[in-house]
Amino acid sequence: MFSNQFVLSFFLLLCLPFVFFFVAPHVFPSPPGESLIPISDEIDDRSLFMAAAGSTSLSHLSSGNPNPKLKIAFLFLTNSDLHFAPIWDRFFSGHSQSLYNVYVHADPFANVTRPGNGSVFENAFIANAKRTARASPTLISATRRLLATAFLDDPANTYFAVLSQNCIPLHSFNYVYSSLFESSTFDKSDPTPSPRGIRIWYRSFIELISDEPRLWKRYNARGRNAMMPEVPFEKFRVGSQFFVMTRRHALLTIKDRILWRKFKLPCYRSDECYPEEHYFPTLLNMKDPDGCTGYTLTRVNWTGTVKGHPYTYKPKEVVPELIQRLRQSNHSSSYFFARKFTPACLKPLLAIADSVIFRD
């Protein structure tokens, strides 16, 4: 007759395989699998990127025109209506389209209403937009899609400013344009500014942060050593996904294949996985760190962040003092843009647009 102790021990022994089966995947995760991005999206993107990479015009400066009209390409990522279109329309109003272009990547699975009535956004939606999701490589793809589309569309696009539907301008268009192309003092980090100011063929305004407290956990979000050997930890960086990139760096980003294969892999830790905040800083840090300023021109308030989302301003907070405060930067003469604002902020923002925001 078996004792109760023996029966209990035998039962526990039989249960071990089942315990291991259910617990092991969480304790000992297997190597990352394939990308979650649909192969059809990858094929479409590769065709677009190859066309852009094969473009013969690297810069409008080399076109032979003695007085080229350099342009800023404004690239908007959105999965909702462009609630701040009216203030952006006022931002661009009165300025020649020989100085800028606007492109919008709208998630085709979201119900996004296209602005009409002569808005700069009316015909700005790119046709090859794909589905996107926060904290996923789909945002990397969407940004690269915008860069490639703008790169191909107009060789005069010299700077590429990536923005979201929750961004607002903090200055007039004239201020933004002259700061990038004419000012010799705007970029405080540039030790050797050229007589014309920012070296447009050289420096991108993008963060390359190496001392973020959770950087090691973010690096291993896909599994330990999953990023090796292509991306060693000492080269891994974090930064805002909203940046202003030069045409040369846009081409470098469009042509990349090696790092993309790593960053498109799925993560085990969703709370540590923000590919869109790592891919672009890491790529440029590995390829051309000296060609970057190391800071962004989009102001974000991370005070009181909730689940990775920055602070969101409410209508009652939209006052002239807020705009003045958001402009302040330790790296440049001023920030250009700011986020995030609730859609209800549009009315108070329009009320101070001419008297504060566009008065530099």
Side-chain angles (χ1 to χ4, degrees):
M1 191 75 180
F2 296 119
S3 66
N4 290 337
Q5 185 177 4
F6 177 81
V7 171
L8 178 61
S9 299
F10 185 72
F11 176 76
L12 291 176
L13 186 64
L14 289 175
C15 289
L16 280 177
F18 296 96
V19 172
F20 185 82
F21 178 79
F22 288 106
V23 175
H26 302 283
V27 179
F28 309 105
S30 57
E34 293 299 317
S35 168
L36 298 178
I37 295 179
I39 188 64
S40 58
D41 288 5
E42 288 265 40
I43 293 173
D44 288 348
D45 285 345
R46 185 167 298 181
S47 176
L48 172 65
F49 299 160
M50 288 179 64
S55 174
T56 58
S57 178
L58 175 61
S59 171
H60 193 53
L61 289 174
S62 62
S63 64
N65 185 344
N67 297 299
K69 291 290 186 181
L70 307 179
K71 292 185 178 183
I72 305 172
F74 291 83
L75 315 179
F76 288 84
L77 286 164
T78 187
N79 59 0
S80 66
D81 287 351
L82 297 169
H83 298 288
F84 297 113
I87 197 166
W88 283 106
D89 282 331
R90 195 174 297 186
F91 172 82
F92 291 112
S93 178
H95 300 288
S96 172
Q97 285 197 303
S98 65
L99 302 178
Y100 71 90
N101 285 305
V102 179
Y103 306 86
V104 179
H105 184 290
D107 186 334
F109 289 83
N111 186 21
V112 178
T113 302
R114 302 194 178 199
N117 301 321
S119 170
V120 294
F121 297 101
E122 186 173 7
N123 299 309
F125 286 65
I126 66 173
N128 51 11
K130 310 291 185 185
R131 192 169 200 166
T132 57
R134 179 177 176 268
S136 81
T138 60
L139 288 177
I140 299 175
S141 295
T143 303
R144 295 177 77 200
R145 224 169 274 134
L146 279 168
L147 289 169
T149 300
F151 192 95
L152 271 174
D153 179 61
D154 194 337
N157 286 331
T158 309
Y159 265 121
F160 301 76
V162 181
L163 302 159
S164 81
Q165 76 273 33
N166 297 312
C167 290
I168 67 162
L170 294 175
H171 283 284
S172 68
F173 177 85
N174 280 338
Y175 181 90
V176 172
Y177 190 89
S178 62
S179 294
L180 289 176
F181 295 126
E182 298 168 8
S183 174
S184 60
T185 58
F186 175 75
D187 179 13
K188 298 177 183 178
S189 71
D190 190 356
T192 56
S194 66
R196 288 193 64 190
I198 304 299
R199 289 179 291 179
I200 56 175
W201 57 90
Y202 186 55
R203 291 168 71 80
S204 291
F205 294 87
I206 183 171
E207 291 177 320
L208 306 177
I209 301 172
S210 60
D211 57 357
E212 203 273 339
R214 304 180 71 86
L215 196 66
W216 176 248
K217 290 186 176 180
R218 288 189 175 207
Y219 177 73
N220 288 306
R222 296 165 186 81
R224 186 177 287 271
N225 298 322
M227 302 300 287
M228 290 293 289
E230 290 85 353
V231 186
F233 175 67
E234 58 269 20
K235 296 293 184 179
F236 190 70
R237 294 292 184 269
V238 62
S240 171
Q241 70 184 98
F242 303 106
F243 47 77
V244 179
M245 184 181 284
T246 62
R247 187 173 181 87
R248 184 165 66 90
H249 284 162
L251 179 60
L252 184 153
T253 302
I254 293 164
K255 294 174 69 174
D256 172 61
R257 296 290 181 272
I258 297 175
L259 264 63
W260 168 241
R261 285 198 290 268
K262 290 294 185 178
F263 281 93
K264 71 179 181 179
L265 294 174
C267 296
Y268 299 124
R269 293 285 303 273
S270 60
D271 58 331
E272 303 290 354
C273 189
Y274 300 96
E276 69 276 18
E277 296 180 0
H278 292 283
Y279 173 76
F280 301 101
T282 300
L283 176 64
L284 292 189
N285 180 61
M286 293 182 69
K287 297 294 186 179
D288 187 18
D290 292 335
C292 304
T293 64
Y295 65 88
T296 180
L297 296 176
T298 299
R299 181 69 176 267
V300 181
N301 182 357
W302 288 105
T303 304
T305 179
V306 178
K307 295 182 179 180
H309 291 282
Y311 182 81
T312 302
Y313 293 100
K314 312 298 190 297
K316 64 180 181 180
E317 298 175 272
V318 179
V319 293
E321 291 75 19
L322 174 65
I323 302 302
Q324 299 296 340
R325 191 163 64 250
L326 291 175
R327 287 174 172 177
Q328 295 173 8
S329 171
N330 294 325
H331 308 290
S332 63
S333 297
S334 178
Y335 283 99
F336 285 168
F337 319 108
R339 64 186 296 269
K340 299 173 64 173
F341 291 80
T342 64
C345 289
L346 176 61
K347 186 175 181 179
L349 283 168
L350 288 175
I352 62 172
D354 294 333
S355 59
V356 179
I357 297 175
F358 301 142
R359 180 167 291 183
D360 309 308

